Amino acid sequence: MSENPKVEYRAKDFASDQEVRWCPGCGDYAILKSVQKAMPELGIDKKDIVFVSGIGCSSRFPYYMDTYGFHSIHGRAPAIASGVKMANPNLSVWQITGDGDALAIGGNHFIHALRRNIDINILLFNNRIYGLTKGQFSPTTSLGHKTKTSPQGSIDNPFNPGELALGAGAQFFARIEDINPKGMVDIFIEAEKHKGTSLIEILQNCVIFNDKVFKEWTAKEVKTEAFLRVEHGKPMIFGKERNKGIIQNGFKLEVVEIGKDGITEDDLVVHDAHEEDITLHMMLVNLRMPMVTGVIRSVKRDTFNERLSQQLEEIKATTKFKTVDDLLESGETWEI
Amino acid sequence: MEKTKIKELEKVVVKFVGDSGDGMQLTGTQFAGTSAFLGNDIATFPDYPAEIRAPQGTVAGVSGFQVHIGKSHIHTPGDKSDVLVAMNAAALRANLYSVPSGNTIIIDTDNFKRKDWEKAGYDSDPLESEELKKFNVVKAPITSLTRKALEGIGLDNKSITRSKNMFALGVVYWLFSRPMDYTERFLKGKFGKKEMILEGNMKALKAGYYFAETIEALPSAYTVLPSDMEKGRYKSVMGNEATAWGFLAAAEKSDKNLFLGSYPITPATDILQEVAKHKHFGAKAFQAEDEIAGIAAAIGAAFAGDFAITTTSGPGLALKGEAIGLAVMTELPIVIVDVQRGGPSTGLPTKTEQSDLLQALYGRNGESPVVVVAAKSPSDCFDMAYNASKIAMEHVTPVILLTDGYVANGSQPWKIKKMADLDDIVPYTINSSDNAETWEPYIRDENTLARKWVVPGTEGFEHRIGGLEKDETTGNVSYAPENHEKMVKVREEKVARVANYIPDLKVEGNQEGDLLIVGWGGTFGALLTAGEEVEANGRIGLAHFNYIKPLPKNTAEVFSRFKKIVVCELNNGQFVKYLRAELPQFDYLQYNKIQGLPFSTSELIDRFTEILKED
């Protein structure tokens, strides 16, 4: 992709002429705005950007971006996005998906995209419910949660997307809440800069079918204490007063108060997003209170495309087959 | 190589049968390769069990390879064996039916001990049976002779025993006056660095050859003279291999990179394996996590500008159905190969059938038309892969190419094609005269009705596509009732217009007359051979379809020139159902076989003769 687009873009240059049709108050609006804000900062030509989605409310997203876009079929967007990237590695490829699309019907493609480390950015809108089909439980719906298909409460154990992703070999995982536009912009930019599959879980509110599902963290009275925003190289401090922190106690992370029981800032865990060993990252994605946001893992590893192009180049350099004619005439042949 | 008596034969069928693991596929391939090299026309038919190693010595584990070689043109691997090589009792039991009395059976007596024939389900020693007296049986202790021949060369027992297939091949090489140098070259290539194994195989081959020369049990040596095929340079091709080459050729011709998204499935896997070997052409062979990901990645690659294909067999085509619908809706060029096998469900994975036709034509939700074509022989796989690619890229549409296990695994001499002689492929994409201001994603060419294939990275042409119904020009999402009806019809018409760009239906044999044999796909050889045989009884023509949807424009005209039409298929009547819907003005007779086996010419001859007799 070209590092210097010919024109200086503004966020509105990325808005297509299509009317945005999400429910009033839907978290998707904020995400769309943040993506459109992040785009000009990436320095990528519009013609080289592709948004690919599956099916679901979130998956209408590509229609609203004035870039190339492909609204595909349920669950298959990772495979389609992978094909796009393999065909043309110069493209900046963004996959938009929801918790049902990515983790239920598309679970297989989701884990394999992460395993291969194809250089795409996956924005997982997690509202813990099926929105487009009007309110059935999803693979992230909490145990016991009552929905239209779990009127007595869900008896399915939910996935934690971060845990699943790390288990599948994700080298970039970030989490952010949809009420944090600035946080989203920063993370989108970091995700694009990361070479390899970048997964961003966005805690997204569904006003109609699962309103306030994240209220434990996002409600006005708690939100300043409920999120821990990690930054690479920085100690894990959070809270309105910046007086809370995380220490490691054996195999567990523990919340402590700085200044209490002799705890100082030096005792806190310093975040290392680049550590290859996933132990700390796994503990962070599983921490429930506070909910950890920010870039939890960002580890550089060969991407699928790098390996693919390397193989293609190597074999091109050594082959005796320069054209298909050479192939057709190879092997045992005879004259009649 | 002195022989007292060498008889010349017009054609001969040799069948090698043994346990899976006995190396019968290799033995058969070598005999076919050597014969092709000598200028014979050949056709082969591998027949192997679905299990990698079924229990040794049982009928379920029998693996066979049939080779038909001829001086004159041959079109099938043959019905009946002139020579059967049976490496054990189970192999004999499973294949005796194919040997007419009086013909030669070469038997490895080492594997006919009591436990062997009991395992094969015989009540008594078959070598002593009355039934076997009807044949010219050559009893040879192939396994122990191989062991003796390789004694002391330093090979382990297992490798020595494994060389027995070469001994058997040596016997047959002598019997048909074949030289051993083709196989010698092959073995050198395969075992170049493992000298001991190479030596063992060569020794076994020669031991078999000289054994056959020495014993007097063999009636005489035969030869099949070179055929009168068209002059030129040839090589032997298998259907799946030819399919892969056709796509590589199409990619080069269209100046596109080939992208293959696929998932291993019998009997289509070889195409993926063959393309994977040829990444030097820029071909990306992507082994996906499942069938759906295979086609989805191909669709993504097609959207982004590669010439994309996906390969599969029946159950895989079922899984790909939804994604094919997406390709129909988004109007992207992609070729879907279905190497048919017996179904439904897992069915008969290693056996051939033609029963995915209706799935290919209709197996999707909504009105979802695609072009459907079929290959009729191993070498025709090259042409049909190429032609399917041309249609996909020039008409910007998904195309399904049907082959089947029989043509995919069969091999045939192929007159080598030159890239320069192949038709041009000009993908329908934007060019310098296109103005981004006036262009819309779903504007169509007035002749083909194709929309332009515009790929990401093209400045000014940014657009969005997807599976929701499209406005007829802008491509934006549209639920307008009239628009949907219009779009359904235009997508159908776009496929129908492909008929203007495909060859007319040709009739082999009589151009008009008493009986028109109608077939499609891999049954061509059998239908042609049977038609030629029956011709004495009436004026017969064969109309074999490579292009199924749309049908060639002259189809009705061809049908009208014959008194009777018989549609022959390896299914319960799928093509005939389609013909009755498309061309209801004709009466169709049928001949259907649903046994996981190809047609034998004799059964076709019987049926055609019967039809000619009926009023």
Coordinates of all heavy atoms in Angstrom, one line a residue, chain A residues 6 18 47 62-63 65-71 76 79-80 83-84 86-87 108-109 112 116 311-312 316 323-325 327-330 332-336, chain B residues 36-37 185 229 231-235 252 278-281 284 289-290 292 296-297 300-301 306 417-419 457-459 461-467 476-477:
Chain A
K6 N -2.2 10.4 -2.3 CA -2.1 11.6 -3.0 C -2.8 12.7 -2.4 O -2.5 13.9 -2.5 CB -2.6 11.4 -4.5 CG -1.5 10.7 -5.3 CD -2.1 10.3 -6.6 CE -1.8 8.8 -7.0 NZ -2.9 7.9 -6.9
Q18 N -24.2 6.0 1.2 CA -25.3 5.1 1.7 C -25.8 5.6 3.1 O -25.0 5.9 3.9 CB -24.9 3.7 1.8 CG -24.5 3.1 0.4 CD -25.6 3.1 -0.6 OE1 -26.6 2.4 -0.4 NE2 -25.5 3.9 -1.6
K47 N -8.1 3.6 -2.4 CA -8.3 2.5 -3.4 C -7.6 1.2 -2.9 O -7.9 0.1 -3.4 CB -7.7 2.9 -4.7 CG -6.1 3.0 -4.7 CD -5.6 3.3 -6.1 CE -4.1 3.5 -6.1 NZ -3.3 2.4 -5.7
P62 N -19.4 -2.4 5.7 CA -18.7 -2.0 4.5 C -19.5 -1.1 3.6 O -18.9 -0.3 2.9 CB -18.5 -3.4 3.8 CG -18.4 -4.4 4.9 CD -19.4 -3.9 5.9
Y63 N -20.8 -1.2 3.6 CA -21.6 -0.3 2.8 C -21.4 1.2 3.1 O -21.7 2.0 2.4 CB -23.1 -0.6 2.9 CG -23.5 -2.0 2.3 CD1 -24.1 -3.0 3.1 CD2 -23.2 -2.3 1.0 CE1 -24.5 -4.2 2.6 CE2 -23.6 -3.6 0.5 CZ -24.2 -4.5 1.3 OH -24.6 -5.7 0.8
M65 N -18.6 2.6 4.2 CA -17.3 3.1 4.0 C -17.0 3.3 2.6 O -17.3 2.5 1.7 CB -16.3 2.0 4.5 CG -16.2 1.7 6.0 SD -15.7 3.2 7.0 CE -14.0 3.3 6.4
D66 N -16.5 4.5 2.2 CA -16.2 4.8 0.8 C -14.8 4.2 0.4 O -13.9 5.0 0.1 CB -16.3 6.3 0.6 CG -16.3 6.6 -0.9 OD1 -16.8 5.8 -1.7 OD2 -15.8 7.7 -1.3
T67 N -14.8 2.9 0.5 CA -13.6 2.2 0.1 C -14.1 1.0 -0.7 O -15.2 1.0 -1.1 CB -12.8 1.6 1.4 OG1 -13.7 0.7 2.1 CG2 -12.4 2.8 2.3
Y68 N -13.2 0.1 -1.0 CA -13.7 -1.2 -1.5 C -14.3 -2.0 -0.4 O -13.8 -1.9 0.8 CB -12.6 -2.0 -2.2 CG -12.2 -1.5 -3.6 CD1 -11.2 -0.5 -3.8 CD2 -13.0 -1.8 -4.7 CE1 -10.9 0.0 -5.0 CE2 -12.7 -1.4 -6.0 CZ -11.7 -0.5 -6.1 OH -11.4 0.0 -7.4
G69 N -15.4 -2.7 -0.7 CA -16.1 -3.4 0.4 C -16.8 -4.7 -0.1 O -17.2 -4.8 -1.3
F70 N -16.9 -5.6 0.8 CA -17.5 -6.9 0.4 C -18.3 -7.4 1.6 O -17.8 -7.8 2.6 CB -16.5 -7.9 0.0 CG -17.0 -9.1 -0.8 CD1 -16.1 -9.8 -1.6 CD2 -18.3 -9.5 -0.8 CE1 -16.5 -10.9 -2.4 CE2 -18.7 -10.5 -1.6 CZ -17.8 -11.2 -2.4
H71 N -19.7 -7.4 1.5 CA -20.6 -7.9 2.5 C -20.9 -9.3 2.1 O -21.5 -9.5 1.0 CB -21.8 -7.0 2.5 CG -22.9 -7.5 3.4 ND1 -24.3 -7.4 3.0 CD2 -22.9 -8.0 4.6 CE1 -25.0 -7.8 4.0 NE2 -24.2 -8.2 5.0
R76 N -18.2 -16.4 7.1 CA -17.1 -16.8 6.2 C -16.2 -15.6 5.9 O -15.3 -15.8 5.1 CB -17.7 -17.3 4.8 CG -18.9 -18.3 4.9 CD -18.6 -19.5 5.8 NE -19.8 -20.2 6.1 CZ -19.8 -21.2 7.0 NH1 -18.8 -21.4 7.8 NH2 -21.0 -21.8 7.2
A79 N -12.3 -16.1 5.8 CA -11.8 -16.8 4.6 C -11.8 -15.9 3.4 O -10.9 -15.9 2.6 CB -12.6 -18.1 4.4
I80 N -12.9 -15.1 3.3 CA -12.9 -14.2 2.1 C -11.8 -13.2 2.3 O -11.1 -12.9 1.3 CB -14.3 -13.6 2.0 CG1 -15.3 -14.7 1.6 CG2 -14.3 -12.4 1.0 CD1 -16.7 -14.3 1.4
G83 N -8.5 -14.6 1.4 CA -8.4 -14.7 -0.1 C -8.0 -13.3 -0.7 O -7.2 -13.2 -1.6
V84 N -8.7 -12.3 -0.2 CA -8.4 -10.9 -0.7 C -6.9 -10.6 -0.5 O -6.2 -10.2 -1.3 CB -9.3 -9.9 0.0 CG1 -8.8 -8.5 -0.3 CG2 -10.8 -10.1 -0.4
M86 N -4.4 -12.6 0.2 CA -3.5 -13.5 -0.5 C -3.4 -13.1 -2.0 O -2.3 -13.1 -2.6 CB -3.9 -14.9 -0.5 CG -3.5 -15.6 0.8 SD -3.9 -17.4 0.8 CE -5.5 -17.4 1.5
A87 N -4.5 -12.7 -2.6 CA -4.5 -12.3 -4.0 C -3.7 -11.0 -4.1 O -3.0 -10.8 -5.1 CB -5.9 -12.1 -4.5
N108 N -14.8 -21.7 13.0 CA -13.7 -22.4 12.4 C -12.8 -21.5 11.6 O -11.6 -21.5 11.8 CB -14.3 -23.5 11.4 CG -13.3 -24.5 11.0 OD1 -12.3 -24.8 11.8 ND2 -13.5 -25.1 9.9
H109 N -13.4 -20.6 10.8 CA -12.6 -19.7 10.0 C -11.8 -18.7 10.9 O -10.7 -18.3 10.6 CB -13.4 -19.0 9.0 CG -14.3 -19.9 8.2 ND1 -13.9 -21.0 7.6 CD2 -15.7 -19.9 8.0 CE1 -14.9 -21.7 7.0 NE2 -16.0 -21.0 7.3
H112 N -8.8 -20.3 12.4 CA -7.7 -20.6 11.4 C -7.1 -19.3 10.9 O -5.9 -19.4 10.5 CB -8.3 -21.5 10.3 CG -8.5 -22.9 10.8 ND1 -7.5 -23.8 10.9 CD2 -9.6 -23.5 11.3 CE1 -7.9 -24.9 11.4 NE2 -9.2 -24.8 11.7
R116 N -3.1 -18.9 11.2 CA -2.2 -18.6 10.0 C -1.5 -17.3 10.1 O -0.5 -17.0 9.4 CB -3.0 -18.6 8.7 CG -3.6 -19.9 8.3 CD -4.1 -19.9 6.9 NE -4.7 -21.2 6.7 CZ -6.0 -21.4 6.7 NH1 -6.9 -20.4 7.0 NH2 -6.5 -22.6 6.5
Q311 N 8.0 -18.2 -0.5 CA 7.9 -19.5 -1.2 C 7.8 -19.3 -2.7 O 8.5 -19.9 -3.5 CB 6.8 -20.3 -0.7 CG 7.2 -21.4 0.2 CD 6.0 -22.4 0.5 OE1 4.9 -22.3 -0.1 NE2 6.3 -23.3 1.4
L312 N 6.9 -18.4 -3.1 CA 6.7 -18.1 -4.5 C 8.0 -17.6 -5.2 O 8.3 -18.0 -6.3 CB 5.5 -17.1 -4.7 CG 4.1 -17.6 -4.3 CD1 3.1 -16.5 -4.5 CD2 3.7 -18.8 -5.2
K316 N 10.2 -19.6 -7.9 CA 10.3 -19.0 -9.2 C 11.8 -18.9 -9.6 O 12.2 -19.0 -10.8 CB 9.8 -17.6 -9.2 CG 8.3 -17.5 -9.6 CD 7.8 -16.1 -9.6 CE 6.3 -16.0 -9.6 NZ 5.7 -14.7 -9.3
T323 N 7.4 -21.1 -18.3 CA 6.0 -20.9 -18.8 C 5.3 -22.2 -18.8 O 5.9 -23.3 -18.6 CB 6.0 -20.5 -20.3 OG1 6.5 -21.5 -21.1 CG2 6.9 -19.3 -20.5
V324 N 4.0 -22.2 -19.0 CA 3.2 -23.4 -18.9 C 3.6 -24.4 -20.1 O 3.6 -25.6 -19.9 CB 1.7 -23.1 -19.0 CG1 0.8 -24.4 -19.1 CG2 1.3 -22.4 -17.7
D325 N 4.1 -23.8 -21.2 CA 4.6 -24.7 -22.2 C 5.7 -25.6 -21.7 O 5.8 -26.8 -22.1 CB 5.2 -23.9 -23.4 CG 4.2 -23.5 -24.4 OD1 3.2 -24.2 -24.6 OD2 4.3 -22.4 -25.0
L327 N 6.0 -26.8 -18.7 CA 5.4 -27.8 -17.9 C 4.7 -28.9 -18.9 O 4.9 -30.1 -18.7 CB 4.3 -27.2 -17.1 CG 3.3 -28.2 -16.4 CD1 3.9 -29.1 -15.4 CD2 2.1 -27.4 -15.7
L328 N 4.0 -28.4 -19.9 CA 3.3 -29.4 -20.7 C 4.3 -30.3 -21.5 O 4.0 -31.4 -21.8 CB 2.4 -28.6 -21.7 CG 1.3 -27.7 -21.1 CD1 0.4 -27.1 -22.2 CD2 0.5 -28.5 -20.1
E329 N 5.5 -29.8 -21.7 CA 6.4 -30.6 -22.5 C 7.4 -31.3 -21.6 O 8.3 -32.0 -22.1 CB 7.2 -29.7 -23.4 CG 6.4 -29.3 -24.7 CD 6.9 -28.2 -25.5 OE1 8.1 -27.9 -25.4 OE2 6.1 -27.5 -26.2
S330 N 7.2 -31.2 -20.3 CA 8.1 -31.9 -19.4 C 7.7 -33.4 -19.2 O 6.7 -33.8 -19.7 CB 8.0 -31.3 -18.0 OG 6.7 -31.5 -17.4
E332 N 8.0 -37.6 -19.4 CA 8.2 -38.6 -20.6 C 7.3 -38.1 -21.7 O 6.1 -38.1 -21.6 CB 7.8 -40.0 -20.1 CG 8.8 -40.6 -19.1 CD 9.9 -41.3 -19.8 OE1 10.1 -41.2 -21.1 OE2 10.7 -41.9 -19.1
T333 N 7.9 -37.9 -22.9 CA 7.1 -37.6 -24.0 C 7.5 -38.5 -25.2 O 8.6 -39.0 -25.1 CB 7.2 -36.1 -24.5 OG1 8.6 -35.9 -24.9 CG2 6.9 -35.1 -23.3
W334 N 6.7 -38.6 -26.2 CA 7.1 -39.4 -27.3 C 6.5 -38.9 -28.6 O 5.5 -38.2 -28.5 CB 6.7 -40.9 -27.1 CG 5.3 -41.2 -27.0 CD1 4.4 -41.5 -28.0 CD2 4.5 -41.2 -25.8 NE1 3.2 -41.7 -27.5 CE2 3.2 -41.5 -26.2 CE3 4.8 -40.9 -24.4 CZ2 2.1 -41.6 -25.3 CZ3 3.7 -41.0 -23.5 CH2 2.4 -41.3 -23.9
E335 N 7.1 -39.3 -29.7 CA 6.6 -38.8 -31.0 C 5.8 -40.0 -31.7 O 6.1 -41.1 -31.6 CB 7.8 -38.5 -31.9 CG 8.5 -37.3 -31.6 CD 7.9 -36.0 -32.0 OE1 7.0 -36.1 -32.9 OE2 8.2 -34.9 -31.5
I336 N 4.7 -39.6 -32.3 CA 4.0 -40.6 -33.2 C 4.1 -40.1 -34.6 O 3.8 -38.9 -34.8 CB 2.6 -40.8 -32.7 CG1 2.6 -41.6 -31.4 CG2 1.7 -41.5 -33.7 CD1 1.3 -41.9 -30.8
Chain B
A36 N 2.2 -46.7 -23.9 CA 2.0 -45.4 -24.6 C 3.3 -44.9 -25.2 O 3.3 -44.4 -26.3 CB 1.6 -44.3 -23.5
F37 N 4.4 -45.1 -24.6 CA 5.7 -44.8 -25.1 C 6.0 -45.5 -26.4 O 6.7 -45.0 -27.2 CB 6.8 -45.1 -24.0 CG 8.0 -44.3 -24.1 CD1 7.9 -42.9 -23.8 CD2 9.2 -44.8 -24.5 CE1 9.0 -42.1 -23.9 CE2 10.3 -44.0 -24.6 CZ 10.2 -42.7 -24.3
R185 N 14.0 -46.1 -16.2 CA 14.1 -44.7 -16.1 C 13.3 -44.2 -14.9 O 13.7 -43.4 -14.1 CB 13.7 -44.0 -17.3 CG 14.8 -44.0 -18.4 CD 14.5 -42.9 -19.5 NE 13.2 -43.0 -20.1 CZ 13.0 -43.8 -21.2 NH1 14.0 -44.6 -21.6 NH2 11.9 -43.9 -21.7
M229 N -2.5 -43.1 -34.4 CA -3.0 -41.8 -33.9 C -2.4 -40.6 -34.7 O -1.4 -40.8 -35.4 CB -2.7 -41.7 -32.4 CG -3.5 -42.7 -31.6 SD -3.4 -42.3 -29.9 CE -1.7 -42.5 -29.5
K231 N -0.3 -37.7 -35.9 CA 1.2 -37.4 -35.7 C 1.4 -36.3 -34.7 O 0.6 -35.3 -34.7 CB 1.8 -37.1 -37.0 CG 1.8 -38.2 -38.1 CD 3.3 -38.7 -38.3 CE 3.3 -39.9 -39.2 NZ 2.6 -41.1 -38.6
G232 N 2.4 -36.4 -34.0 CA 2.7 -35.3 -33.1 C 3.4 -35.8 -31.8 O 3.8 -37.0 -31.7
R233 N 3.7 -34.9 -30.9 CA 4.3 -35.3 -29.7 C 3.3 -35.5 -28.6 O 2.4 -34.7 -28.4 CB 5.4 -34.2 -29.2 CG 6.6 -34.8 -28.5 CD 7.8 -34.1 -28.9 NE 7.9 -32.8 -28.3 CZ 8.3 -32.6 -27.1 NH1 8.7 -33.6 -26.3 NH2 8.3 -31.4 -26.6
Y234 N 3.5 -36.6 -27.9 CA 2.5 -37.0 -26.9 C 3.1 -37.1 -25.5 O 4.3 -37.3 -25.3 CB 1.9 -38.4 -27.3 CG 0.9 -38.3 -28.4 CD1 1.3 -38.2 -29.7 CD2 -0.5 -38.4 -28.1 CE1 0.4 -38.1 -30.8 CE2 -1.4 -38.3 -29.2 CZ -1.0 -38.2 -30.5 OH -1.9 -38.1 -31.5
K235 N 2.2 -37.1 -24.5 CA 2.6 -37.5 -23.2 C 1.4 -38.1 -22.6 O 0.2 -37.9 -23.1 CB 3.2 -36.4 -22.3 CG 2.1 -35.4 -21.9 CD 2.8 -34.2 -21.2 CE 3.5 -34.6 -19.9 NZ 4.0 -33.4 -19.2
E252 N -2.1 -18.2 -17.2 CA -1.0 -17.6 -18.0 C -1.6 -16.8 -19.2 O -1.2 -15.7 -19.5 CB -0.1 -18.7 -18.5 CG 1.1 -18.1 -19.2 CD 2.2 -19.2 -19.6 OE1 2.7 -19.8 -18.6 OE2 2.4 -19.4 -20.7
H278 N 3.2 -26.4 -8.5 CA 3.5 -25.4 -9.6 C 3.4 -24.0 -9.1 O 2.9 -23.1 -9.9 CB 2.7 -25.7 -10.9 CG 3.0 -27.1 -11.4 ND1 4.3 -27.4 -11.9 CD2 2.3 -28.2 -11.5 CE1 4.3 -28.7 -12.2 NE2 3.1 -29.2 -12.0
K279 N 3.8 -23.7 -7.9 CA 3.8 -22.3 -7.4 C 4.7 -21.4 -8.2 O 4.6 -20.2 -8.1 CB 4.2 -22.3 -5.9 CG 3.1 -22.8 -5.0 CD 3.4 -22.6 -3.6 CE 2.3 -23.2 -2.7 NZ 2.9 -23.5 -1.3
H280 N 5.6 -22.0 -8.9 CA 6.6 -21.2 -9.7 C 5.8 -20.3 -10.8 O 6.4 -19.3 -11.3 CB 7.6 -22.0 -10.4 CG 7.1 -23.3 -10.9 ND1 6.4 -23.4 -12.0 CD2 7.2 -24.6 -10.3 CE1 6.1 -24.7 -12.2 NE2 6.5 -25.4 -11.2
F281 N 4.6 -20.7 -11.1 CA 3.8 -19.9 -12.1 C 3.1 -18.8 -11.3 O 2.2 -18.1 -11.9 CB 2.8 -20.7 -12.9 CG 3.5 -21.8 -13.7 CD1 3.1 -23.1 -13.7 CD2 4.5 -21.4 -14.7 CE1 3.7 -24.1 -14.5 CE2 5.1 -22.4 -15.5 CZ 4.7 -23.7 -15.4
K284 N -1.2 -19.8 -6.4 CA -1.3 -19.9 -5.0 C -2.3 -21.1 -4.7 O -3.5 -21.0 -4.9 CB -1.9 -18.6 -4.4 CG -0.8 -17.5 -4.5 CD -1.5 -16.1 -4.4 CE -1.1 -15.3 -5.6 NZ -1.8 -14.0 -5.7
E289 N -9.3 -24.6 5.7 CA -9.7 -25.4 6.9 C -10.9 -26.2 6.6 O -11.2 -27.2 7.3 CB -9.9 -24.5 8.1 CG -10.9 -23.4 7.9 CD -10.3 -22.1 7.4 OE1 -9.2 -22.2 6.8 OE2 -10.9 -21.0 7.6
D290 N -11.7 -25.9 5.6 CA -12.8 -26.7 5.2 C -13.2 -26.3 3.8 O -12.7 -25.4 3.2 CB -14.0 -26.6 6.2 CG -14.6 -25.2 6.4 OD1 -14.5 -24.4 5.4 OD2 -15.2 -25.0 7.4
I292 N -15.9 -24.8 2.7 CA -16.5 -23.5 2.6 C -15.4 -22.4 2.6 O -15.5 -21.5 1.8 CB -17.5 -23.3 3.8 CG1 -18.6 -24.3 3.8 CG2 -18.1 -21.9 3.7 CD1 -19.5 -24.3 5.0
A296 N -14.7 -19.7 -0.2 CA -14.8 -18.3 0.3 C -13.4 -17.6 0.0 O -13.4 -16.5 -0.5 CB -15.1 -18.3 1.8
A297 N -12.3 -18.3 0.2 CA -11.0 -17.7 -0.1 C -10.9 -17.4 -1.5 O -10.4 -16.4 -2.0 CB -9.9 -18.5 0.4
G300 N -12.9 -14.4 -2.4 CA -12.1 -13.2 -1.9 C -11.0 -12.9 -2.9 O -10.7 -11.7 -3.3
A301 N -10.3 -13.9 -3.4 CA -9.2 -13.8 -4.3 C -9.7 -13.3 -5.6 O -9.0 -12.4 -6.3 CB -8.4 -15.1 -4.5
D306 N -7.3 -12.1 -8.6 CA -6.7 -13.3 -9.1 C -7.8 -14.1 -9.9 O -9.0 -13.9 -9.7 CB -6.3 -14.2 -7.9 CG -4.9 -13.8 -7.5 OD1 -4.2 -12.9 -8.1 OD2 -4.4 -14.4 -6.5
K417 N -0.3 -29.8 -26.2 CA -0.8 -28.5 -26.8 C 0.2 -27.4 -26.5 O 1.0 -27.5 -25.5 CB -2.1 -28.1 -26.1 CG -3.2 -29.1 -26.4 CD -4.5 -28.4 -26.7 CE -5.4 -29.4 -27.3 NZ -6.8 -29.1 -27.3
K418 N 0.2 -26.5 -27.4 CA 1.1 -25.3 -27.3 C 0.3 -24.1 -26.8 O -0.8 -23.9 -27.3 CB 1.7 -25.0 -28.6 CG 2.8 -25.9 -29.1 CD 4.1 -25.2 -29.2 CE 5.3 -26.1 -29.6 NZ 5.9 -26.7 -28.4
M419 N 0.8 -23.4 -25.9 CA 0.1 -22.2 -25.4 C -0.3 -21.3 -26.5 O -1.4 -20.7 -26.5 CB 1.0 -21.4 -24.4 CG 1.1 -22.1 -23.0 SD -0.4 -22.2 -22.1 CE -0.9 -20.5 -21.9
G457 N -7.8 -1.6 -5.5 CA -6.5 -1.1 -5.9 C -6.6 -0.2 -7.2 O -5.7 0.5 -7.6
T458 N -7.9 -0.3 -7.8 CA -8.1 0.5 -9.0 C -8.7 1.9 -8.5 O -9.7 2.0 -7.9 CB -9.2 -0.1 -9.9 OG1 -8.8 -1.5 -10.0 CG2 -9.2 0.5 -11.2
E459 N -8.0 2.9 -8.8 CA -8.3 4.2 -8.2 C -9.6 4.8 -8.8 O -9.8 4.7 -10.0 CB -7.2 5.2 -8.5 CG -7.5 6.6 -7.9 CD -6.2 7.3 -7.5 OE1 -5.1 6.9 -8.0 OE2 -6.3 8.4 -6.9
F461 N -12.6 3.7 -8.6 CA -13.7 2.8 -8.8 C -14.1 2.1 -7.5 O -14.7 1.0 -7.6 CB -13.2 1.8 -9.9 CG -13.1 2.3 -11.3 CD1 -12.0 3.0 -11.7 CD2 -14.2 2.2 -12.2 CE1 -11.9 3.5 -12.9 CE2 -14.1 2.8 -13.4 CZ -12.9 3.4 -13.8
E462 N -13.8 2.7 -6.4 CA -14.2 2.0 -5.1 C -15.6 1.7 -5.1 O -16.5 2.5 -5.5 CB -13.9 3.0 -3.9 CG -12.4 3.2 -3.7 CD -11.8 4.3 -4.5 OE1 -12.5 4.9 -5.4 OE2 -10.6 4.6 -4.3
H463 N -16.0 0.5 -4.7 CA -17.4 0.1 -4.7 C -17.6 -1.0 -3.7 O -16.6 -1.6 -3.2 CB -17.9 -0.3 -6.1 CG -17.2 -1.6 -6.6 ND1 -15.9 -1.6 -7.1 CD2 -17.7 -2.9 -6.6 CE1 -15.6 -2.9 -7.4 NE2 -16.6 -3.6 -7.2
R464 N -18.8 -1.3 -3.4 CA -19.2 -2.3 -2.4 C -20.1 -3.3 -3.1 O -21.0 -2.9 -3.8 CB -19.9 -1.7 -1.2 CG -19.1 -1.1 -0.1 CD -18.3 0.2 -0.4 NE -19.2 1.2 -0.9 CZ -18.7 2.3 -1.5 NH1 -17.4 2.5 -1.7 NH2 -19.6 3.2 -2.0
I465 N -19.8 -4.6 -2.9 CA -20.7 -5.7 -3.3 C -21.0 -6.6 -2.2 O -20.4 -6.4 -1.1 CB -20.0 -6.5 -4.5 CG1 -18.7 -7.1 -4.0 CG2 -19.9 -5.6 -5.7 CD1 -18.1 -8.1 -5.1
G466 N -21.9 -7.5 -2.4 CA -22.3 -8.4 -1.3 C -23.5 -9.2 -1.7 O -23.9 -9.2 -2.9
G467 N -23.9 -10.0 -0.8 CA -25.0 -11.0 -1.1 C -26.4 -10.5 -1.1 O -27.3 -11.2 -1.6
N476 N -26.0 -1.0 -5.5 CA -26.3 -0.8 -4.1 C -27.4 -1.7 -3.7 O -28.2 -2.3 -4.5 CB -26.8 0.7 -3.9 CG -25.7 1.7 -4.0 OD1 -24.5 1.4 -3.8 ND2 -26.0 2.9 -4.5
V477 N -27.5 -1.9 -2.4 CA -28.6 -2.8 -1.9 C -30.0 -2.3 -2.3 O -30.3 -1.1 -2.2 CB -28.5 -2.9 -0.3 CG1 -29.7 -3.7 0.2 CG2 -27.2 -3.5 0.1

